[in-house]
Amino acid sequence: ARIPKRVTFSLTVQGIQIENRLYPYQNIASFWVHYNPPAIKEISIVLNKGVVAHLTLPLDDVDPNEIRDILVEYIDEKPHDESLTDTLGRYLRF
């Protein structure tokens, strides 16, 4: 067991940039903001296709409403169930 790697991401007009990889908005099926501080503060993203179908991005000190306001312009907002991996990670404090 190891601590997950910390990644940076940004929202651009083309899509979501996660480190060196761009996920164009047209390749993203939907998003959902899970917000129940202090334990849960993250964005869930479901991709249309690819090896990785689901991404979870921690928000740390970013205002989730600002992120939502941007994403809702480009992507459908649909409730996502929290993944078992995310739940276990939080329980184990990762």
Side-chain angles (χ1 to χ4, degrees):
R2 56 188 171 141
I3 296 173
K5 178 183 171 189
R6 195 74 154 163
V7 298
T8 58
F9 72 93
S10 60
L11 305 179
T12 71
V13 293
Q14 292 85 21
I16 300 174
Q17 180 84 34
I18 302 174
E19 294 197 331
N20 295 325
R21 180 149 187 202
L22 177 68
Y23 294 88
Y25 292 124
Q26 64 265 24
N27 294 346
I28 301 173
S30 62
F31 81 96
W32 187 252
V33 176
H34 294 280
Y35 188 73
N36 187 4
I40 304 171
K41 193 174 174 187
E42 62 197 16
I43 301 171
S44 172
I45 297 169
V46 173
L47 303 174
N48 289 327
K49 56 186 173 185
V51 176
V52 177
H54 181 257
L55 301 171
T56 302
L57 303 171
L59 292 175
D60 293 333
D61 295 329
V62 178
D63 182 351
N65 291 314
E66 289 180 19
I67 299 293
R68 185 201 168 273
D69 289 344
I70 294 168
L71 290 178
V72 78
E73 292 181 33
Y74 301 100
I75 310 169
D76 288 337
E77 181 180 30
K78 294 182 182 176
H80 298 172
D81 290 332
E82 191 172 34
S83 74
L84 178 59
T85 305
D86 294 334
T87 304
L88 285 174
R90 194 171 1 277
Y91 178 74
L92 297 173
R93 298 179 188 240
F94 285 120

